Amino acid sequence: MGPILFCMVVNDLAPVCQNSIFIKYADDLTILNLFQDSNDDNLQAEVSHVTEWCKTKGLDMNLSKCYVMNVITKKSLSCRPISITDDFFMTDANHLKILGCYFSHDMKWDKHVEMCIKNASRKVYLILSLKRAGCSSKMLFYVYSTCIRPILLYCFPTMCNMPQFLRRKLLSVEKRIYRIIACDEELPSLFCVADAMCERIFKQVESNLHVQHPLRDFFDNRLYKKRNKCPLRRPRTKTKRFCNTFIKYCK
């Protein structure tokens, strides 16, 4: 009953400012405060609100896990330091981990790819041990595709617009494992699986059965037709980075 009761308690915790969004998962809370002018910086108000709410509910905040990460796209903007108590200010972080995905203050995926490679490399010894035990190449590939490849591709639809040098880093881990497996048949490439993953998500967003999908807002109501007469919703694109998201995998 513990997790269920806790979810019931935190259900009424909501932001007090219109430009703030709360992401709640289990006992973790992430506050997103979006502003274009320093006068609209309401993060301190939201943190104070959460602090008072915790006191009311008899909950203690883990101050050692409280960080703030500033993603600044305007050089003229400046962010004020955030305090939880009179003598405790939140530490500025360059990277934050949210649901296993690492986000960086410069909006790059270097840190996340680094951690994926690090976590996957720890399991390469499993492939070596099974090969020494006499397992077939087919069995070794099944172990890789089940236990290691999902780590390399974790959150891939989110970071599919990563630069080529990061893709090569991920591929280098797979090539190392394929050399250990030494299969006579040609094995599928890492990004063939990744592309299929992105395409499945795109079709889910476009499906009428997923009208409430969180990514549905990426599309407007106007339809356009391809040469093969297949109508598709036109994606909203403003920047080149956005154009390189998983939407490009639509076929």
Side-chain angles (χ1 to χ4, degrees):
M1 291 295 292
I4 297 178
L5 292 176
F6 182 82
C7 290
M8 294 172 62
V9 171
V10 300
N11 186 57
D12 65 342
L13 178 58
V16 294
C17 303
Q18 294 183 352
N19 61 335
S20 298
I21 302 173
F22 281 8
I23 301 177
K24 293 181 285 186
Y25 182 80
D27 60 343
D28 290 335
L29 171 66
T30 302
I31 303 175
L32 302 181
N33 185 246
L34 312 174
F35 59 92
Q36 296 182 349
D37 189 273
S38 299
N39 296 327
D40 298 329
D41 184 1
N42 299 316
L43 184 56
Q44 181 61 68
E46 293 292 358
V47 172
S48 301
H49 166 62
V50 173
T51 304
E52 291 298 324
W53 181 88
C54 289
K55 291 180 181 179
T56 304
K57 300 297 183 179
L59 300 174
D60 295 328
M61 296 177 61
N62 190 344
L63 300 182
S64 63
K65 293 185 178 181
C66 295
Y67 299 94
V68 58
M69 185 177 73
N70 299 316
V71 180
I72 301 176
T73 57
K74 285 185 177 181
K75 294 182 178 180
S76 59
L77 282 178
S78 60
C79 300
R80 297 187 294 268
I82 306 300
S83 63
I84 297 180
T85 61
D86 294 336
D87 56 349
F88 182 85
F89 286 85
M90 297 177 66
T91 305
D92 290 340
N94 292 329
H95 311 282
L96 285 182
K97 182 181 179 182
I98 303 177
L99 300 181
C101 184
Y102 287 85
F103 294 89
S104 301
H105 73 287
D106 53 5
M107 301 303 292
K108 295 182 180 180
W109 295 110
D110 301 57
K111 180 65 176 181
H112 181 75
V113 171
E114 175 188 344
M115 296 307 300
C116 287
I117 294 176
K118 182 178 180 180
N119 294 332
S121 299
R122 293 172 179 172
K123 295 184 179 294
V124 175
Y125 181 74
L126 176 63
I127 302 291
L128 288 170
S129 299
L130 291 175
K131 185 175 183 179
R132 291 168 185 165
C135 290
S136 63
S137 298
K138 186 176 182 179
M139 180 60 65
L140 294 178
F141 173 73
Y142 286 157
V143 173
Y144 162 70
S145 59
T146 304
C147 301
I148 302 179
R149 189 168 63 193
I151 299 177
L152 294 173
L153 295 180
Y154 186 73
C155 293
F156 184 82
T158 304
M159 60 172 184
C160 61
N161 61 336
M162 71 174 75
Q164 289 298 323
F165 79 92
L166 292 179
R167 288 173 171 258
R168 288 193 291 268
K169 285 185 177 181
L170 292 174
L171 278 175
S172 64
V173 180
E174 183 181 68
K175 291 179 180 178
R176 175 188 172 192
I177 296 175
Y178 278 1
R179 286 196 295 268
I180 299 174
I181 294 176
C183 183
D184 296 333
E185 301 178 2
E186 184 177 357
L187 300 177
S189 173
L190 180 71
F191 291 111
C192 289
V193 179
D195 292 351
M197 183 193 309
C198 293
E199 187 175 350
R200 285 196 304 270
I201 292 181
F202 180 87
K203 290 181 178 179
Q204 288 178 3
V205 177
E206 269 294 294
S207 173
N208 292 329
L209 300 177
H210 295 80
V211 178
Q212 302 298 325
H213 198 285
L215 299 179
R216 191 75 176 189
D217 292 337
F218 281 170
F219 305 93
D220 57 22
N221 294 323
R222 295 175 297 171
L223 297 177
Y224 71 99
K225 292 185 178 181
K226 299 171 63 178
R227 292 183 179 180
N228 58 3
K229 306 299 182 181
C230 176
L232 292 174
R233 292 188 179 275
R234 186 183 303 277
R236 295 174 181 170
T237 56
K238 294 183 179 180
T239 63
K240 184 177 180 181
R241 172 173 289 186
F242 186 81
C243 293
N244 291 334
T245 57
F246 73 94
I247 295 174
K248 68 178 181 180
Y249 294 97
C250 173
K251 297 180 179 179

